[in-house]
Amino acid sequence: MLKLQNENFLLEILDPRKDHDLLGARYCRGGQIFQVKNSQGAALFCGPTYPEAYNVFDSQGLPDAFNSYPNFEQSQLGDEIFVIGVGRVKYSNPIETFFACDNREVAKAVNWEIEKEGQKITFSCEDEYQGFAYRLEKSVELKNYTIEQKFRLVN
């Protein structure tokens, strides 16, 4: 887990290169804020299944999703679906419209680059599949009592 900390907060951010047991097919893997703790160390977020056990499908904290699947229209059951910020997800559930919630197996995760500078961490990735391509950057910055997130998606 990656961390940003000041006198007010501790941010625990999932590392998309290492925290595979905490990441699934539903949410963008780069820059996912898993927990924020106050200056006394008390956790400020819980997942939707609380007090039950954590699961990668529901996650917790501040997850982000790009619910646009560029190659879904021409895909068939068993194919891989191109999911922005995740990689390729196995199309295993025969539903009318694809949604990562219903298809939870990551066939190939996208590779992320991570840069930390002071109280800011920037995550970036590039991916392409079947004629579709993008570059995604997400930064998470801790400023006093503010958590600032910025996205840049280029296709």
Side-chain angles (χ1 to χ4, degrees), residues 88-124:
R88 292 192 267 296
V89 174
K90 188 80 165 178
Y91 184 21
S92 56
N93 189 0
I95 56 175
E96 206 169 297
T97 56
F98 180 85
F99 189 53
C101 296
D102 301 303
N103 296 273
R104 300 180 183 191
E105 180 188 342
V106 177
K108 183 177 187 236
V110 69
N111 292 316
W112 289 87
E113 293 181 22
I114 302 169
E115 292 181 30
K116 184 176 180 187
E117 185 178 327
Q119 294 299 322
K120 180 178 179 180
I121 300 179
T122 302
F123 299 81
S124 60

PDB file of all heavy atoms in Angstrom, residues 88-124:
ATOM      1  N   ARG A  88      -7.969  -6.068 -19.330  1.00  0.00           N
ATOM      2  CA  ARG A  88      -8.949  -6.879 -20.043  1.00  0.00           C
ATOM      3  C   ARG A  88      -9.661  -7.794 -19.051  1.00  0.00           C
ATOM      4  O   ARG A  88      -9.032  -8.471 -18.246  1.00  0.00           O
ATOM      5  CB  ARG A  88      -8.262  -7.659 -21.142  1.00  0.00           C
ATOM      6  CG  ARG A  88      -7.769  -6.695 -22.217  1.00  0.00           C
ATOM      7  CD  ARG A  88      -7.340  -7.373 -23.463  1.00  0.00           C
ATOM      8  NE  ARG A  88      -5.932  -7.712 -23.576  1.00  0.00           N
ATOM      9  CZ  ARG A  88      -4.943  -6.828 -23.623  1.00  0.00           C
ATOM     10  NH1 ARG A  88      -5.185  -5.550 -23.498  1.00  0.00           N
ATOM     11  NH2 ARG A  88      -3.713  -7.230 -23.772  1.00  0.00           N
ATOM     12  N   VAL A  89     -10.984  -7.779 -19.151  1.00  0.00           N
ATOM     13  CA  VAL A  89     -11.826  -8.552 -18.245  1.00  0.00           C
ATOM     14  C   VAL A  89     -12.552  -9.611 -19.064  1.00  0.00           C
ATOM     15  O   VAL A  89     -13.082  -9.329 -20.136  1.00  0.00           O
ATOM     16  CB  VAL A  89     -12.839  -7.627 -17.517  1.00  0.00           C
ATOM     17  CG1 VAL A  89     -13.816  -8.429 -16.678  1.00  0.00           C
ATOM     18  CG2 VAL A  89     -12.089  -6.618 -16.653  1.00  0.00           C
ATOM     19  N   LYS A  90     -12.564 -10.832 -18.549  1.00  0.00           N
ATOM     20  CA  LYS A  90     -13.205 -11.957 -19.231  1.00  0.00           C
ATOM     21  C   LYS A  90     -14.719 -11.767 -19.252  1.00  0.00           C
ATOM     22  O   LYS A  90     -15.344 -11.560 -18.218  1.00  0.00           O
ATOM     23  CB  LYS A  90     -12.843 -13.246 -18.495  1.00  0.00           C
ATOM     24  CG  LYS A  90     -13.267 -14.484 -19.195  1.00  0.00           C
ATOM     25  CD  LYS A  90     -12.293 -14.822 -20.274  1.00  0.00           C
ATOM     26  CE  LYS A  90     -12.510 -16.255 -20.726  1.00  0.00           C
ATOM     27  NZ  LYS A  90     -11.626 -16.616 -21.791  1.00  0.00           N
ATOM     28  N   TYR A  91     -15.297 -11.828 -20.468  1.00  0.00           N
ATOM     29  CA  TYR A  91     -16.746 -11.724 -20.639  1.00  0.00           C
ATOM     30  C   TYR A  91     -17.326 -13.111 -20.366  1.00  0.00           C
ATOM     31  O   TYR A  91     -17.409 -13.957 -21.236  1.00  0.00           O
ATOM     32  CB  TYR A  91     -17.063 -11.240 -22.046  1.00  0.00           C
ATOM     33  CG  TYR A  91     -18.523 -10.998 -22.359  1.00  0.00           C
ATOM     34  CD1 TYR A  91     -19.461 -10.783 -21.365  1.00  0.00           C
ATOM     35  CD2 TYR A  91     -18.951 -10.958 -23.677  1.00  0.00           C
ATOM     36  CE1 TYR A  91     -20.789 -10.549 -21.666  1.00  0.00           C
ATOM     37  CE2 TYR A  91     -20.279 -10.712 -24.000  1.00  0.00           C
ATOM     38  CZ  TYR A  91     -21.189 -10.524 -22.988  1.00  0.00           C
ATOM     39  OH  TYR A  91     -22.508 -10.284 -23.301  1.00  0.00           O
ATOM     40  N   SER A  92     -17.735 -13.344 -19.124  1.00  0.00           N
ATOM     41  CA  SER A  92     -18.144 -14.681 -18.696  1.00  0.00           C
ATOM     42  C   SER A  92     -19.612 -14.801 -18.316  1.00  0.00           C
ATOM     43  O   SER A  92     -20.113 -15.905 -18.151  1.00  0.00           O
ATOM     44  CB  SER A  92     -17.291 -15.119 -17.504  1.00  0.00           C
ATOM     45  OG  SER A  92     -17.395 -14.162 -16.464  1.00  0.00           O
ATOM     46  N   ASN A  93     -20.296 -13.691 -18.181  1.00  0.00           N
ATOM     47  CA  ASN A  93     -21.692 -13.709 -17.760  1.00  0.00           C
ATOM     48  C   ASN A  93     -22.556 -13.204 -18.915  1.00  0.00           C
ATOM     49  O   ASN A  93     -22.443 -12.046 -19.313  1.00  0.00           O
ATOM     50  CB  ASN A  93     -21.872 -12.827 -16.523  1.00  0.00           C
ATOM     51  CG  ASN A  93     -23.237 -12.971 -15.890  1.00  0.00           C
ATOM     52  OD1 ASN A  93     -24.084 -13.729 -16.350  1.00  0.00           O
ATOM     53  ND2 ASN A  93     -23.454 -12.234 -14.826  1.00  0.00           N
ATOM     54  N   PRO A  94     -23.425 -14.056 -19.459  1.00  0.00           N
ATOM     55  CA  PRO A  94     -24.223 -13.670 -20.630  1.00  0.00           C
ATOM     56  C   PRO A  94     -25.331 -12.668 -20.278  1.00  0.00           C
ATOM     57  O   PRO A  94     -26.468 -13.041 -20.016  1.00  0.00           O
ATOM     58  CB  PRO A  94     -24.810 -15.000 -21.110  1.00  0.00           C
ATOM     59  CG  PRO A  94     -24.901 -15.827 -19.874  1.00  0.00           C
ATOM     60  CD  PRO A  94     -23.737 -15.407 -19.007  1.00  0.00           C
ATOM     61  N   ILE A  95     -24.980 -11.411 -20.293  1.00  0.00           N
ATOM     62  CA  ILE A  95     -25.949 -10.356 -20.013  1.00  0.00           C
ATOM     63  C   ILE A  95     -26.082  -9.487 -21.256  1.00  0.00           C
ATOM     64  O   ILE A  95     -25.231  -9.507 -22.142  1.00  0.00           O
ATOM     65  CB  ILE A  95     -25.519  -9.518 -18.793  1.00  0.00           C
ATOM     66  CG1 ILE A  95     -24.108  -8.953 -19.009  1.00  0.00           C
ATOM     67  CG2 ILE A  95     -25.590 -10.333 -17.525  1.00  0.00           C
ATOM     68  CD1 ILE A  95     -23.648  -8.016 -17.935  1.00  0.00           C
ATOM     69  N   GLU A  96     -27.140  -8.720 -21.321  1.00  0.00           N
ATOM     70  CA  GLU A  96     -27.412  -7.908 -22.502  1.00  0.00           C
ATOM     71  C   GLU A  96     -26.360  -6.829 -22.728  1.00  0.00           C
ATOM     72  O   GLU A  96     -25.947  -6.569 -23.836  1.00  0.00           O
ATOM     73  CB  GLU A  96     -28.797  -7.274 -22.368  1.00  0.00           C
ATOM     74  CG  GLU A  96     -29.429  -6.967 -23.685  1.00  0.00           C
ATOM     75  CD  GLU A  96     -30.878  -6.593 -23.513  1.00  0.00           C
ATOM     76  OE1 GLU A  96     -31.658  -7.440 -23.053  1.00  0.00           O
ATOM     77  OE2 GLU A  96     -31.200  -5.439 -23.844  1.00  0.00           O
ATOM     78  N   THR A  97     -25.961  -6.162 -21.665  1.00  0.00           N
ATOM     79  CA  THR A  97     -24.896  -5.161 -21.772  1.00  0.00           C
ATOM     80  C   THR A  97     -23.816  -5.505 -20.763  1.00  0.00           C
ATOM     81  O   THR A  97     -24.112  -5.881 -19.632  1.00  0.00           O
ATOM     82  CB  THR A  97     -25.419  -3.732 -21.495  1.00  0.00           C
ATOM     83  OG1 THR A  97     -26.040  -3.713 -20.221  1.00  0.00           O
ATOM     84  CG2 THR A  97     -26.398  -3.291 -22.557  1.00  0.00           C
ATOM     85  N   PHE A  98     -22.592  -5.381 -21.190  1.00  0.00           N
ATOM     86  CA  PHE A  98     -21.465  -5.739 -20.327  1.00  0.00           C
ATOM     87  C   PHE A  98     -21.341  -4.749 -19.182  1.00  0.00           C
ATOM     88  O   PHE A  98     -21.498  -3.554 -19.362  1.00  0.00           O
ATOM     89  CB  PHE A  98     -20.160  -5.733 -21.129  1.00  0.00           C
ATOM     90  CG  PHE A  98     -18.958  -6.096 -20.315  1.00  0.00           C
ATOM     91  CD1 PHE A  98     -18.617  -7.419 -20.120  1.00  0.00           C
ATOM     92  CD2 PHE A  98     -18.171  -5.116 -19.723  1.00  0.00           C
ATOM     93  CE1 PHE A  98     -17.509  -7.769 -19.362  1.00  0.00           C
ATOM     94  CE2 PHE A  98     -17.066  -5.454 -18.969  1.00  0.00           C
ATOM     95  CZ  PHE A  98     -16.737  -6.782 -18.796  1.00  0.00           C
ATOM     96  N   PHE A  99     -21.050  -5.259 -18.018  1.00  0.00           N
ATOM     97  CA  PHE A  99     -20.738  -4.420 -16.875  1.00  0.00           C
ATOM     98  C   PHE A  99     -19.738  -5.194 -16.033  1.00  0.00           C
ATOM     99  O   PHE A  99     -19.935  -6.379 -15.774  1.00  0.00           O
ATOM    100  CB  PHE A  99     -21.994  -4.081 -16.074  1.00  0.00           C
ATOM    101  CG  PHE A  99     -21.774  -3.041 -15.004  1.00  0.00           C
ATOM    102  CD1 PHE A  99     -21.193  -1.824 -15.293  1.00  0.00           C
ATOM    103  CD2 PHE A  99     -22.155  -3.296 -13.707  1.00  0.00           C
ATOM    104  CE1 PHE A  99     -20.985  -0.869 -14.306  1.00  0.00           C
ATOM    105  CE2 PHE A  99     -21.961  -2.341 -12.713  1.00  0.00           C
ATOM    106  CZ  PHE A  99     -21.375  -1.134 -13.024  1.00  0.00           C
ATOM    107  N   ALA A 100     -18.664  -4.540 -15.652  1.00  0.00           N
ATOM    108  CA  ALA A 100     -17.608  -5.221 -14.907  1.00  0.00           C
ATOM    109  C   ALA A 100     -18.132  -5.860 -13.620  1.00  0.00           C
ATOM    110  O   ALA A 100     -17.565  -6.827 -13.135  1.00  0.00           O
ATOM    111  CB  ALA A 100     -16.464  -4.256 -14.613  1.00  0.00           C
ATOM    112  N   CYS A 101     -19.220  -5.334 -13.075  1.00  0.00           N
ATOM    113  CA  CYS A 101     -19.807  -5.915 -11.864  1.00  0.00           C
ATOM    114  C   CYS A 101     -20.197  -7.373 -12.083  1.00  0.00           C
ATOM    115  O   CYS A 101     -20.138  -8.178 -11.167  1.00  0.00           O
ATOM    116  CB  CYS A 101     -21.059  -5.156 -11.448  1.00  0.00           C
ATOM    117  SG  CYS A 101     -20.784  -3.470 -10.990  1.00  0.00           S
ATOM    118  N   ASP A 102     -20.632  -7.679 -13.291  1.00  0.00           N
ATOM    119  CA  ASP A 102     -21.115  -9.014 -13.584  1.00  0.00           C
ATOM    120  C   ASP A 102     -20.042  -9.921 -14.174  1.00  0.00           C
ATOM    121  O   ASP A 102     -20.290 -11.083 -14.440  1.00  0.00           O
ATOM    122  CB  ASP A 102     -22.290  -8.922 -14.558  1.00  0.00           C
ATOM    123  CG  ASP A 102     -23.415  -8.101 -13.973  1.00  0.00           C
ATOM    124  OD1 ASP A 102     -23.885  -8.451 -12.886  1.00  0.00           O
ATOM    125  OD2 ASP A 102     -23.808  -7.102 -14.597  1.00  0.00           O
ATOM    126  N   ASN A 103     -18.874  -9.386 -14.414  1.00  0.00           N
ATOM    127  CA  ASN A 103     -17.771 -10.125 -15.006  1.00  0.00           C
ATOM    128  C   ASN A 103     -16.524  -9.774 -14.210  1.00  0.00           C
ATOM    129  O   ASN A 103     -15.949  -8.708 -14.394  1.00  0.00           O
ATOM    130  CB  ASN A 103     -17.618  -9.744 -16.476  1.00  0.00           C
ATOM    131  CG  ASN A 103     -18.835 -10.142 -17.278  1.00  0.00           C
ATOM    132  OD1 ASN A 103     -18.915 -11.250 -17.760  1.00  0.00           O
ATOM    133  ND2 ASN A 103     -19.800  -9.245 -17.396  1.00  0.00           N
ATOM    134  N   ARG A 104     -16.127 -10.651 -13.328  1.00  0.00           N
ATOM    135  CA  ARG A 104     -15.162 -10.283 -12.296  1.00  0.00           C
ATOM    136  C   ARG A 104     -13.741 -10.812 -12.500  1.00  0.00           C
ATOM    137  O   ARG A 104     -12.878 -10.544 -11.696  1.00  0.00           O
ATOM    138  CB  ARG A 104     -15.685 -10.744 -10.944  1.00  0.00           C
ATOM    139  CG  ARG A 104     -17.020 -10.100 -10.624  1.00  0.00           C
ATOM    140  CD  ARG A 104     -17.538 -10.550  -9.298  1.00  0.00           C
ATOM    141  NE  ARG A 104     -18.848  -9.964  -9.055  1.00  0.00           N
ATOM    142  CZ  ARG A 104     -19.457  -9.998  -7.892  1.00  0.00           C
ATOM    143  NH1 ARG A 104     -18.880 -10.568  -6.862  1.00  0.00           N
ATOM    144  NH2 ARG A 104     -20.635  -9.452  -7.748  1.00  0.00           N
ATOM    145  N   GLU A 105     -13.501 -11.530 -13.579  1.00  0.00           N
ATOM    146  CA  GLU A 105     -12.168 -12.109 -13.788  1.00  0.00           C
ATOM    147  C   GLU A 105     -11.299 -11.201 -14.650  1.00  0.00           C
ATOM    148  O   GLU A 105     -11.603 -10.958 -15.818  1.00  0.00           O
ATOM    149  CB  GLU A 105     -12.286 -13.479 -14.463  1.00  0.00           C
ATOM    150  CG  GLU A 105     -10.957 -14.133 -14.714  1.00  0.00           C
ATOM    151  CD  GLU A 105     -11.064 -15.394 -15.550  1.00  0.00           C
ATOM    152  OE1 GLU A 105     -12.172 -15.965 -15.666  1.00  0.00           O
ATOM    153  OE2 GLU A 105     -10.027 -15.808 -16.092  1.00  0.00           O
ATOM    154  N   VAL A 106     -10.227 -10.694 -14.070  1.00  0.00           N
ATOM    155  CA  VAL A 106      -9.277  -9.884 -14.836  1.00  0.00           C
ATOM    156  C   VAL A 106      -8.362 -10.844 -15.579  1.00  0.00           C
ATOM    157  O   VAL A 106      -7.610 -11.602 -14.968  1.00  0.00           O
ATOM    158  CB  VAL A 106      -8.458  -8.948 -13.913  1.00  0.00           C
ATOM    159  CG1 VAL A 106      -7.435  -8.168 -14.732  1.00  0.00           C
ATOM    160  CG2 VAL A 106      -9.381  -7.999 -13.167  1.00  0.00           C
ATOM    161  N   ALA A 107      -8.456 -10.831 -16.919  1.00  0.00           N
ATOM    162  CA  ALA A 107      -7.637 -11.710 -17.754  1.00  0.00           C
ATOM    163  C   ALA A 107      -6.219 -11.164 -17.890  1.00  0.00           C
ATOM    164  O   ALA A 107      -5.252 -11.922 -17.894  1.00  0.00           O
ATOM    165  CB  ALA A 107      -8.274 -11.876 -19.126  1.00  0.00           C
ATOM    166  N   LYS A 108      -6.103  -9.837 -17.992  1.00  0.00           N
ATOM    167  CA  LYS A 108      -4.783  -9.198 -18.104  1.00  0.00           C
ATOM    168  C   LYS A 108      -4.885  -7.789 -17.532  1.00  0.00           C
ATOM    169  O   LYS A 108      -5.583  -6.937 -18.086  1.00  0.00           O
ATOM    170  CB  LYS A 108      -4.329  -9.140 -19.554  1.00  0.00           C
ATOM    171  CG  LYS A 108      -2.925  -8.544 -19.682  1.00  0.00           C
ATOM    172  CD  LYS A 108      -2.431  -8.553 -21.111  1.00  0.00           C
ATOM    173  CE  LYS A 108      -0.992  -8.119 -21.112  1.00  0.00           C
ATOM    174  NZ  LYS A 108      -0.702  -7.010 -21.924  1.00  0.00           N
ATOM    175  N   ALA A 109      -4.207  -7.551 -16.440  1.00  0.00           N
ATOM    176  CA  ALA A 109      -4.229  -6.227 -15.799  1.00  0.00           C
ATOM    177  C   ALA A 109      -3.309  -5.266 -16.543  1.00  0.00           C
ATOM    178  O   ALA A 109      -2.259  -5.661 -17.050  1.00  0.00           O
ATOM    179  CB  ALA A 109      -3.790  -6.337 -14.341  1.00  0.00           C
ATOM    180  N   VAL A 110      -3.718  -4.003 -16.601  1.00  0.00           N
ATOM    181  CA  VAL A 110      -2.892  -2.972 -17.205  1.00  0.00           C
ATOM    182  C   VAL A 110      -1.710  -2.674 -16.276  1.00  0.00           C
ATOM    183  O   VAL A 110      -1.832  -2.790 -15.057  1.00  0.00           O
ATOM    184  CB  VAL A 110      -3.736  -1.699 -17.490  1.00  0.00           C
ATOM    185  CG1 VAL A 110      -4.154  -1.002 -16.231  1.00  0.00           C
ATOM    186  CG2 VAL A 110      -3.001  -0.742 -18.393  1.00  0.00           C
ATOM    187  N   ASN A 111      -0.569  -2.320 -16.864  1.00  0.00           N
ATOM    188  CA  ASN A 111       0.615  -1.969 -16.076  1.00  0.00           C
ATOM    189  C   ASN A 111       0.606  -0.480 -15.746  1.00  0.00           C
ATOM    190  O   ASN A 111       0.378   0.343 -16.637  1.00  0.00           O
ATOM    191  CB  ASN A 111       1.898  -2.311 -16.851  1.00  0.00           C
ATOM    192  CG  ASN A 111       2.068  -3.800 -17.015  1.00  0.00           C
ATOM    193  OD1 ASN A 111       1.859  -4.560 -16.070  1.00  0.00           O
ATOM    194  ND2 ASN A 111       2.425  -4.229 -18.199  1.00  0.00           N
ATOM    195  N   TRP A 112       0.867  -0.158 -14.505  1.00  0.00           N
ATOM    196  CA  TRP A 112       0.860   1.226 -14.034  1.00  0.00           C
ATOM    197  C   TRP A 112       2.258   1.704 -13.695  1.00  0.00           C
ATOM    198  O   TRP A 112       3.049   0.957 -13.119  1.00  0.00           O
ATOM    199  CB  TRP A 112      -0.011   1.354 -12.784  1.00  0.00           C
ATOM    200  CG  TRP A 112      -1.461   1.227 -13.071  1.00  0.00           C
ATOM    201  CD1 TRP A 112      -2.189   0.075 -13.123  1.00  0.00           C
ATOM    202  CD2 TRP A 112      -2.365   2.287 -13.368  1.00  0.00           C
ATOM    203  NE1 TRP A 112      -3.495   0.362 -13.426  1.00  0.00           N
ATOM    204  CE2 TRP A 112      -3.632   1.715 -13.587  1.00  0.00           C
ATOM    205  CE3 TRP A 112      -2.228   3.672 -13.468  1.00  0.00           C
ATOM    206  CZ2 TRP A 112      -4.749   2.462 -13.902  1.00  0.00           C
ATOM    207  CZ3 TRP A 112      -3.347   4.421 -13.776  1.00  0.00           C
ATOM    208  CH2 TRP A 112      -4.592   3.828 -13.989  1.00  0.00           C
ATOM    209  N   GLU A 113       2.535   2.967 -14.011  1.00  0.00           N
ATOM    210  CA  GLU A 113       3.743   3.647 -13.551  1.00  0.00           C
ATOM    211  C   GLU A 113       3.321   4.576 -12.423  1.00  0.00           C
ATOM    212  O   GLU A 113       2.245   5.177 -12.477  1.00  0.00           O
ATOM    213  CB  GLU A 113       4.373   4.451 -14.686  1.00  0.00           C
ATOM    214  CG  GLU A 113       4.911   3.581 -15.799  1.00  0.00           C
ATOM    215  CD  GLU A 113       5.550   4.392 -16.906  1.00  0.00           C
ATOM    216  OE1 GLU A 113       5.948   5.548 -16.659  1.00  0.00           O
ATOM    217  OE2 GLU A 113       5.641   3.862 -18.020  1.00  0.00           O
ATOM    218  N   ILE A 114       4.172   4.691 -11.411  1.00  0.00           N
ATOM    219  CA  ILE A 114       3.826   5.493 -10.238  1.00  0.00           C
ATOM    220  C   ILE A 114       4.978   6.435  -9.916  1.00  0.00           C
ATOM    221  O   ILE A 114       6.130   6.008  -9.857  1.00  0.00           O
ATOM    222  CB  ILE A 114       3.539   4.585  -9.020  1.00  0.00           C
ATOM    223  CG1 ILE A 114       2.393   3.620  -9.351  1.00  0.00           C
ATOM    224  CG2 ILE A 114       3.209   5.420  -7.788  1.00  0.00           C
ATOM    225  CD1 ILE A 114       2.202   2.531  -8.330  1.00  0.00           C
ATOM    226  N   GLU A 115       4.630   7.708  -9.708  1.00  0.00           N
ATOM    227  CA  GLU A 115       5.621   8.704  -9.299  1.00  0.00           C
ATOM    228  C   GLU A 115       5.111   9.417  -8.056  1.00  0.00           C
ATOM    229  O   GLU A 115       3.964   9.859  -8.021  1.00  0.00           O
ATOM    230  CB  GLU A 115       5.836   9.738 -10.405  1.00  0.00           C
ATOM    231  CG  GLU A 115       6.498   9.187 -11.648  1.00  0.00           C
ATOM    232  CD  GLU A 115       6.713  10.254 -12.708  1.00  0.00           C
ATOM    233  OE1 GLU A 115       6.898  11.433 -12.348  1.00  0.00           O
ATOM    234  OE2 GLU A 115       6.665   9.906 -13.893  1.00  0.00           O
ATOM    235  N   LYS A 116       5.979   9.523  -7.058  1.00  0.00           N
ATOM    236  CA  LYS A 116       5.613  10.241  -5.833  1.00  0.00           C
ATOM    237  C   LYS A 116       6.513  11.456  -5.696  1.00  0.00           C
ATOM    238  O   LYS A 116       7.731  11.351  -5.826  1.00  0.00           O
ATOM    239  CB  LYS A 116       5.751   9.348  -4.606  1.00  0.00           C
ATOM    240  CG  LYS A 116       5.288  10.027  -3.334  1.00  0.00           C
ATOM    241  CD  LYS A 116       5.330   9.100  -2.146  1.00  0.00           C
ATOM    242  CE  LYS A 116       4.856   9.860  -0.904  1.00  0.00           C
ATOM    243  NZ  LYS A 116       5.009   9.087   0.309  1.00  0.00           N
ATOM    244  N   GLU A 117       5.878  12.596  -5.447  1.00  0.00           N
ATOM    245  CA  GLU A 117       6.611  13.838  -5.237  1.00  0.00           C
ATOM    246  C   GLU A 117       5.925  14.602  -4.108  1.00  0.00           C
ATOM    247  O   GLU A 117       4.812  15.084  -4.265  1.00  0.00           O
ATOM    248  CB  GLU A 117       6.617  14.681  -6.516  1.00  0.00           C
ATOM    249  CG  GLU A 117       7.457  15.933  -6.402  1.00  0.00           C
ATOM    250  CD  GLU A 117       7.478  16.723  -7.709  1.00  0.00           C
ATOM    251  OE1 GLU A 117       7.430  16.125  -8.782  1.00  0.00           O
ATOM    252  OE2 GLU A 117       7.523  17.957  -7.608  1.00  0.00           O
ATOM    253  N   GLY A 118       6.571  14.673  -2.952  1.00  0.00           N
ATOM    254  CA  GLY A 118       5.986  15.359  -1.798  1.00  0.00           C
ATOM    255  C   GLY A 118       4.698  14.689  -1.375  1.00  0.00           C
ATOM    256  O   GLY A 118       4.653  13.491  -1.119  1.00  0.00           O
ATOM    257  N   GLN A 119       3.617  15.465  -1.336  1.00  0.00           N
ATOM    258  CA  GLN A 119       2.306  14.963  -0.929  1.00  0.00           C
ATOM    259  C   GLN A 119       1.417  14.605  -2.121  1.00  0.00           C
ATOM    260  O   GLN A 119       0.195  14.658  -2.035  1.00  0.00           O
ATOM    261  CB  GLN A 119       1.601  16.015  -0.049  1.00  0.00           C
ATOM    262  CG  GLN A 119       2.277  16.253   1.277  1.00  0.00           C
ATOM    263  CD  GLN A 119       2.319  14.989   2.115  1.00  0.00           C
ATOM    264  OE1 GLN A 119       1.402  14.196   2.137  1.00  0.00           O
ATOM    265  NE2 GLN A 119       3.414  14.791   2.822  1.00  0.00           N
ATOM    266  N   LYS A 120       2.051  14.236  -3.225  1.00  0.00           N
ATOM    267  CA  LYS A 120       1.313  13.914  -4.446  1.00  0.00           C
ATOM    268  C   LYS A 120       1.846  12.615  -5.051  1.00  0.00           C
ATOM    269  O   LYS A 120       3.050  12.414  -5.145  1.00  0.00           O
ATOM    270  CB  LYS A 120       1.467  15.058  -5.456  1.00  0.00           C
ATOM    271  CG  LYS A 120       0.755  14.856  -6.755  1.00  0.00           C
ATOM    272  CD  LYS A 120       0.964  16.088  -7.635  1.00  0.00           C
ATOM    273  CE  LYS A 120       0.296  15.951  -8.967  1.00  0.00           C
ATOM    274  NZ  LYS A 120       0.505  17.149  -9.801  1.00  0.00           N
ATOM    275  N   ILE A 121       0.920  11.746  -5.451  1.00  0.00           N
ATOM    276  CA  ILE A 121       1.268  10.523  -6.164  1.00  0.00           C
ATOM    277  C   ILE A 121       0.529  10.552  -7.497  1.00  0.00           C
ATOM    278  O   ILE A 121      -0.681  10.812  -7.540  1.00  0.00           O
ATOM    279  CB  ILE A 121       0.892   9.254  -5.384  1.00  0.00           C
ATOM    280  CG1 ILE A 121       1.604   9.212  -4.032  1.00  0.00           C
ATOM    281  CG2 ILE A 121       1.235   8.008  -6.190  1.00  0.00           C
ATOM    282  CD1 ILE A 121       1.262   8.000  -3.186  1.00  0.00           C
ATOM    283  N   THR A 122       1.257  10.290  -8.574  1.00  0.00           N
ATOM    284  CA  THR A 122       0.662  10.250  -9.905  1.00  0.00           C
ATOM    285  C   THR A 122       0.776   8.837 -10.457  1.00  0.00           C
ATOM    286  O   THR A 122       1.848   8.233 -10.433  1.00  0.00           O
ATOM    287  CB  THR A 122       1.351  11.246 -10.855  1.00  0.00           C
ATOM    288  OG1 THR A 122       1.242  12.561 -10.299  1.00  0.00           O
ATOM    289  CG2 THR A 122       0.715  11.230 -12.233  1.00  0.00           C
ATOM    290  N   PHE A 123      -0.337   8.333 -10.943  1.00  0.00           N
ATOM    291  CA  PHE A 123      -0.432   7.010 -11.544  1.00  0.00           C
ATOM    292  C   PHE A 123      -0.679   7.208 -13.034  1.00  0.00           C
ATOM    293  O   PHE A 123      -1.519   8.029 -13.416  1.00  0.00           O
ATOM    294  CB  PHE A 123      -1.608   6.234 -10.946  1.00  0.00           C
ATOM    295  CG  PHE A 123      -1.490   6.003  -9.469  1.00  0.00           C
ATOM    296  CD1 PHE A 123      -1.829   7.000  -8.567  1.00  0.00           C
ATOM    297  CD2 PHE A 123      -1.038   4.787  -8.984  1.00  0.00           C
ATOM    298  CE1 PHE A 123      -1.717   6.792  -7.199  1.00  0.00           C
ATOM    299  CE2 PHE A 123      -0.926   4.574  -7.620  1.00  0.00           C
ATOM    300  CZ  PHE A 123      -1.259   5.575  -6.726  1.00  0.00           C
ATOM    301  N   SER A 124       0.010   6.452 -13.864  1.00  0.00           N
ATOM    302  CA  SER A 124      -0.231   6.559 -15.306  1.00  0.00           C
ATOM    303  C   SER A 124      -0.138   5.185 -15.948  1.00  0.00           C
ATOM    304  O   SER A 124       0.624   4.316 -15.508  1.00  0.00           O
ATOM    305  CB  SER A 124       0.753   7.536 -15.955  1.00  0.00           C
ATOM    306  OG  SER A 124       2.074   7.118 -15.766  1.00  0.00           O
TER     307      SER A 124
END
